[in-house]
């Protein structure tokens, strides 16, 4: 039965990554109901149960939301504390963010009485470049970065290639969630630079967010929201997770049941959650290939993802990527493996 602390929406996203038959068995085992009206789930609800996970959203998620050019979604972005004055200025002025869109958007009715933030926009690319080159501190850099609109990024990239912009200006531009990835790479690829981007809430796409962000439950809540908040970009997260979810969970109903028990307190990433649930369930349940019996002696945990041909985010698991590898030979590996064995044994006793 579904753990009362886990909502159907949180598991609904993962269940959508497996075949309908496996999803139906998992729903029956965990008690997750089937959505009565899938179309309604793709529309912004009247009341969203916000929580700490919403306030902790990476700023990049707001950027994905703006790319939908949906006035209802833009209203939510406008009121989020991470939204900067450039975002709010563009929302009030109906600036489109979606790719290849130029038609002005309708200003959300809820925001019609809000004034646009005051930005001293420069008269052209040359004036903007002059402002950026005059930056000597972080506060100046942040203020200058807000003056860059979607049509200005090419000019900024050209100016930086001609003569590198001041470091503070580069940094302030890099943490703009709509900064083109090529320009961000042009600014720097040092690991320290990458870590600072992560701390600032800048994520290199939904696939990286889905596979490398923790805790898993907050990520699932965001991805469940993504069905109506950023459906255009949500497919990237789904494609990154689908191979691993099908391999580790698939039609193994016991693995899904274990996942619902782990999810509320699990501190790792979604790939770590899926692999852990699959390892704990082991051969206690039914896999996509058929039923397995504990009595058969097949009690070995699955191998490393790359040994099984599993890929995460379009690549095999790389322990040097900056994400923790639960299968690594680090000093904590023995404790992790021992914990899995203890929980797996307890689970098998409970499941009979």
């Amino acid at each position: 039965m579904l753990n009362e602390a886990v909502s159907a929406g949180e598991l609904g996203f993962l269940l959508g990554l497996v075949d309908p038959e496996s999803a139906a068995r998992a729903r029956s085992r965990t008690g997750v109901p089937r959505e009565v009206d899938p179309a309604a789930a793709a529309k912004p609800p009247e009341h969203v149960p916000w929580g700490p996970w919403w306030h902790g959203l990476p700023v990049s998620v707001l950027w994905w939301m703006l790319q939908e050019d949906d006035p209802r979604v833009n209203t939510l972005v406008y009121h989020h504390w991470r939204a900067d004055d450039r975002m709010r200025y563009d929302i009030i002025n109906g600036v489109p963010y979606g790719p290849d869109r130029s038609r002005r958007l309708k200003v959300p009715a809820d925001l019609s009485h809000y004034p646009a933030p005051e930005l001293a926009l420069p008269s052209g690319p040359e004036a903007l470049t002059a402002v950026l080159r005059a930056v000597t501190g972080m506060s100046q850099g942040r203020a200058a970065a807000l003056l860059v609109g979607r049509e200005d990024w090419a000019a900024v990239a050209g100016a930086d290639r001609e003569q590198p912009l001041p470091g503070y200006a580069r940094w302030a531009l890099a943490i703009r969630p709509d900064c083109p990835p090529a320009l961000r790479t042009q600014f720097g690829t040092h690991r320290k630079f990458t870590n600072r981007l992560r701390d600032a809430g800048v994520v290199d796409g939904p696939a990286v967010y889905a596979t490398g962000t923790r805790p898993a439950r907050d990520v699932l809540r965001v991805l469940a929201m993504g069905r109506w908040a950023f459906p255009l970009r949500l497919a990237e997260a789904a494609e990154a997770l689908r191979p691993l979810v099908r391999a580790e969970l698939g039609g193994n109903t016991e693995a899904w049941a274990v996942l619902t028990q782990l999810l509320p307190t699990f501190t790792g990433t979604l790939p770590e959650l899926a692999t852990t649930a699959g390892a704990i369930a082991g051969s206690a349940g039914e896999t996509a290939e058929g039923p397995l019996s504990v009595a058969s002696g097949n009690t070995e945990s699955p191998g490393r993802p790359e040994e099984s041909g599993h890929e995460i985010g379009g690549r095999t698991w790389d322990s040097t990527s900056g994400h923790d590898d639960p299968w690594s030979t680090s000093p904590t590996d023995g404790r992790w493996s021992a914990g899995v064995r203890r929980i797996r044994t307890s689970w098998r006793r409970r499941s009979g």
Side-chain angles (χ1 to χ4, degrees):
M1 188 172 183
L2 177 65
N3 187 321
E4 292 182 359
V6 178
S7 72
E10 292 166 7
L11 289 187
F13 175 80
L14 290 181
L15 288 171
L17 302 181
V18 299
D19 63 273
E21 184 178 348
S22 296
R25 291 199 300 268
R27 290 181 188 278
S28 176
R29 175 68 178 84
T30 61
V32 178
R34 180 179 295 277
E35 291 175 342
V36 178
D37 185 6
K43 298 179 180 179
E46 293 184 6
H47 302 287
V48 182
W50 305 129
W53 64 272
W54 165 253
H55 298 291
L57 280 183
V59 69
S60 290
V61 176
L62 300 183
W63 161 237
W64 307 335
M65 294 170 70
L66 287 175
Q67 288 180 299
E68 295 297 324
D69 289 334
D70 185 330
R72 298 168 298 178
V73 174
N74 285 356
T75 300
L76 298 176
V77 173
Y78 184 94
H79 290 297
H80 197 279
W81 73 273
R82 276 192 180 272
D84 59 35
D85 280 352
R86 185 71 207 202
M87 287 184 181
R88 295 190 174 102
Y89 177 91
D90 288 345
I91 290 172
I92 294 298
N93 286 280
V95 176
Y97 273 73
D100 303 322
R101 293 176 184 169
S102 58
R103 186 177 180 179
R104 292 278 171 171
L105 304 176
K106 181 180 179 181
V107 179
D110 294 345
L111 302 178
S112 58
H113 61 286
Y114 282 79
E118 295 184 6
L119 296 177
L121 299 180
S123 57
E126 294 79 9
L128 174 61
T129 300
V131 172
L132 291 171
R133 293 203 184 282
V135 168
T136 59
M138 195 59 203
S139 59
Q140 272 187 308
R142 291 182 182 275
L146 294 177
L147 305 181
V148 178
R150 61 175 295 179
E151 70 282 353
D152 298 321
W153 288 111
V156 171
D160 184 73
R161 284 193 297 269
E162 180 181 343
Q163 179 184 345
L165 296 171
Y168 287 113
R170 279 182 149 201
W171 172 240
L173 291 167
I175 60 177
R176 279 276 301 270
D178 54 338
C179 177
L183 178 56
R184 194 175 284 131
T185 301
Q186 180 177 313
F187 287 155
T189 56
H190 191 275
R191 173 168 291 188
K192 187 175 183 180
F193 182 80
T194 303
N195 290 340
R196 286 178 175 175
L197 287 174
R198 182 190 59 207
D199 294 341
V202 176
V203 185
D204 190 17
V208 173
Y209 173 73
T211 58
T213 306
R214 53 173 54 88
R217 189 176 194 182
D218 285 356
V219 175
L220 275 182
R221 285 167 168 163
V222 172
L223 296 179
M225 179 189 76
R227 299 172 65 182
W228 55 263
F230 51 94
L232 290 177
R233 303 298 303 273
L234 185 63
E236 300 172 39
E239 288 305 311
L241 290 170
R242 183 175 287 111
L244 185 71
V245 170
R246 289 186 172 182
E248 297 294 345
L249 302 174
N252 188 339
T253 57
E254 292 307 305
W256 285 102
V258 171
L259 186 142
T260 64
Q261 298 296 319
L262 294 178
L263 184 59
T265 58
F266 195 80
T267 60
T269 64
L270 272 177
E272 291 168 351
L273 173 64
T275 2
T276 303
I280 292 174
S283 59
E286 182 180 8
T287 68
E289 292 73 31
L292 294 174
S293 171
V294 176
S296 68
N298 183 11
T299 59
E300 294 298 320
S301 64
R304 292 174 60 93
E306 60 266 31
E307 292 173 354
S308 309
H310 303 167
E311 292 189 351
I312 300 176
R315 57 174 173 76
T316 54
W317 195 297
D318 179 6
S319 61
T320 65
S321 65
H323 306 317
D324 294 335
D325 180 353
W327 303 94
S328 69
T329 55
S330 66
T332 60
D333 183 55
R335 294 194 296 272
W336 185 88
S337 300
V340 167
R341 286 194 295 270
R342 286 195 299 272
I343 301 174
R344 183 193 298 167
T345 299
S346 174
W347 181 261
R348 285 175 178 161
R349 288 173 179 170
R350 291 170 55 191
S351 59

